[in-house]
Amino acid sequence: MLAKAVATEAGANFINISMSSISSKWSGEGEKCIKAVFSLASKIAPSIIFVDEVDSMLGRRENPEEHLAMRKLKNEFMLNWDGLHTKDTERVLVLAATNRPFDLYEAVIRRLPRWLMVNLPDAPNRAKILKVILAKEDLAQDVDLEPVASMTDGYSGSD
């Protein structure tokens, strides 16, 4: 939600990618998908490429069990990401989200100049989240979301 809000406020096109949307069982297809994403982002600039759970795609390289295909995906992503810095006329931003920031590959950390820590919401904000999530649901008139919000301490919007 935060990434979509940033794109909306910036007036940028929003491209959401995940590991499942770019990986393929066919050798080389994942790399083609990554190249296509960056090419599309450049053509429709200004745009934001958002990678949710970025640690699943761009995690540390020390894992000996990591498959060669995964290394190739990482390399292709990093190569295309670097290419963004050479084109001054194209405005493409890469945003990423993770619950495990310290599992990221060091080269990714260097390329992300800003880090925002989003804490879990407090009770009033959980009540607002519940209202948004349940806006289209048919609730009884006497349903009060404030007590529900107070019982969900430690929960996020996705929870």
Side-chain angles (χ1 to χ4, degrees):
M1 292 174 132
L2 186 59
K4 284 183 184 177
V6 168
T8 301
E9 288 297 313
N13 294 298
F14 185 74
I15 302 171
N16 184 13
I17 63 171
S18 64
M19 198 49 206
S20 62
S21 66
I22 59 167
S23 61
S24 172
K25 67 179 182 177
W26 305 108
S27 180
E29 288 299 312
E31 292 89 331
K32 286 181 186 176
C33 288
I34 290 172
K35 189 174 273 193
V37 165
F38 279 92
S39 176
L40 173 66
S42 293
K43 287 179 181 157
I44 63 170
S47 57
I48 292 177
I49 298 172
F50 176 64
V51 186
D52 198 8
E53 301 300 337
V54 69
D55 54 291
S56 69
M57 183 182 358
L58 299 173
R60 294 184 181 273
R61 290 192 180 195
E62 289 95 37
N63 185 0
E65 297 174 11
E66 184 178 64
H67 195 272
L68 178 63
M70 191 64 213
R71 289 188 188 142
K72 288 181 178 182
L73 276 177
K74 281 182 196 177
N75 288 341
E76 188 65 31
F77 194 91
M78 303 303 271
L79 285 171
N80 282 278
W81 196 352
D82 282 343
L84 294 176
H85 298 296
T86 61
K87 302 169 188 169
D88 293 334
T89 58
E90 296 170 0
R91 296 182 323 164
V92 177
L93 176 69
V94 176
L95 286 179
T98 181
N99 293 328
R100 305 173 59 108
F102 302 107
D103 286 350
L104 289 175
Y105 178 43
E106 293 81 13
V108 173
I109 293 170
R110 286 192 303 270
R111 285 172 174 84
L112 293 170
R114 302 263 192 279
W115 287 62
L116 298 174
M117 177 66 149
V118 179
N119 291 322
L120 292 171
D122 57 7
N125 284 317
R126 285 194 305 275
K128 290 177 186 175
I129 291 170
L130 286 168
K131 287 176 188 169
V132 168
I133 291 172
L134 297 172
K136 294 181 181 177
E137 298 296 324
D138 188 25
L139 301 176
Q141 295 291 347
D142 62 342
V143 172
D144 184 13
L145 297 177
E146 301 296 328
V148 177
S150 65
M151 291 187 292
T152 55
D153 188 35
Y155 283 64
S156 68
S158 64
D159 295 330

